[in-house]
Structure formats: structure tokens, C-alpha cells
Amino acid sequence: MAAFSPNPLSLSFSNQDINQWVREGEALERQRVADETRRKEGLGAGGAGGHSGGSGKHGALGNAKPRFKTPYLTVSDLKKPAKGWREFFAADFFWRSYKVPRTLTELKLTLDGNVFEFFGNYVTLAFVFLCCVLYNKPKALLGGYLLIKLWAW
């Protein structure tokens, strides 16, 4: 018997385990932000004496590899409704939300978090673009149907 009951998209993790993993990731992020704030305050007040330990070449997470959420999407995650469009486009806090990532890992974590958080919005946008394409080129619907038939053949 398996340790977890299987589901179609995440073959060996239950929703409770994924939720716990997300909470742990959020706790790590809060800890990283707090450490960074303390480090900045220490450098500002104490000059170069604000050393927080470690060599500093691995960043705030140390040797830990980042944990991505998107590969572990469940059916319930795929069914969740779209969030508000104002929140999706970050209209209320534009300058705080749109920033250029400094590292490739930070870029991957940001994209992963956004896809996980706003999956319903991305599905809605994809559907709208599909409808626009089909409106401009209705023959594409026939081509898509023929491709599906050919694939199934």
C-alpha cells in the first residue's frame, strides 16, 4: 500500500502534504526576509561589523534547493476560480509588484509562484486568446479538428 493516496497530477502527494509544503515554503520566505532585514539594519548601524555568519556566497537559503509548487498541482488547484483581475494585474501596488529578478533562481521562483497563484486567470486569458484567433481565422478550427483526428488515427 502506498504512503499517500494517488491523484492524477501529483502521483504520490496528498493535498494535506502539499499544503504543509507550501506553508513551510512561506515560513522559509518570511525567515529569509527577516534575516535580510536584520542584516541590512546591522550593516547600516554597525558598518562592516554586521556579519550574519556563513560565507555569504550561497544567499539567504544556504545550500537548500528551491522547492517549486507547479509540478505538484492537484485537480483542486486546476479547478480553483480566477482571482480578481485587479489583483492579477497588480493595479494597486504597481511599482512594488513588478521588479526585475536578480538571479535565475529568483526568476524561476517568481514565475512558479505566479502560475500557482493565478492559474485560473491564465486559463481564462488563454481561452480569450483562443477565441480571438478563431474569430480571425475560423478555418483554424477545421485544421485543429483534422489534427486531432489525425493524431487519434
Side-chain angles (χ1 to χ4, degrees):
M1 183 169 167
F4 307 104
S5 61
N7 58 42
L9 296 176
S10 59
L11 298 175
S12 63
F13 295 106
S14 68
N15 286 341
Q16 294 155 340
D17 294 320
I18 291 175
N19 289 336
Q20 178 184 356
W21 174 73
V22 169
R23 283 191 302 273
E24 289 173 0
E26 289 171 348
L28 279 174
E29 179 64 19
R30 283 192 299 272
Q31 180 66 35
R32 184 192 65 79
V33 169
D35 288 345
E36 187 174 307
T37 304
R38 271 188 253 122
R39 183 181 56 81
K40 285 181 182 178
E41 289 173 356
L43 287 176
H51 190 271
S52 62
S55 65
K57 72 179 185 181
H58 295 296
L61 294 176
N63 292 330
K65 289 186 176 182
R67 296 171 60 174
F68 299 104
K69 298 178 250 182
T70 307
Y72 305 107
L73 284 173
T74 61
V75 173
S76 61
D77 293 327
L78 298 176
K79 289 182 180 179
K80 67 183 175 184
K83 292 195 173 219
W85 290 103
R86 189 174 185 132
E87 183 181 354
F88 178 70
F89 289 114
D92 294 334
F93 47 93
F94 182 78
W95 294 114
R96 282 189 296 151
S97 102
Y98 293 106
K99 64 177 185 170
V100 178
R102 294 184 179 172
T103 64
L104 183 61
T105 304
E106 187 179 347
L107 174 72
K108 289 179 182 178
L109 285 171
T110 302
L111 286 174
D112 181 69
N114 284 343
V115 168
F116 188 79
E117 188 73 21
F118 297 108
F119 193 80
N121 296 77
Y122 288 119
V123 168
T124 304
L125 281 177
F127 181 73
V128 167
F129 284 125
L130 175 70
C131 289
C132 290
V133 166
L134 290 178
Y135 178 76
N136 287 332
K137 295 188 181 236
K139 290 182 183 178
L141 188 60
L142 177 65
Y145 176 75
L146 290 175
L147 281 174
I148 290 173
K149 286 296 191 182
L150 182 65
W151 184 268
W153 182 52

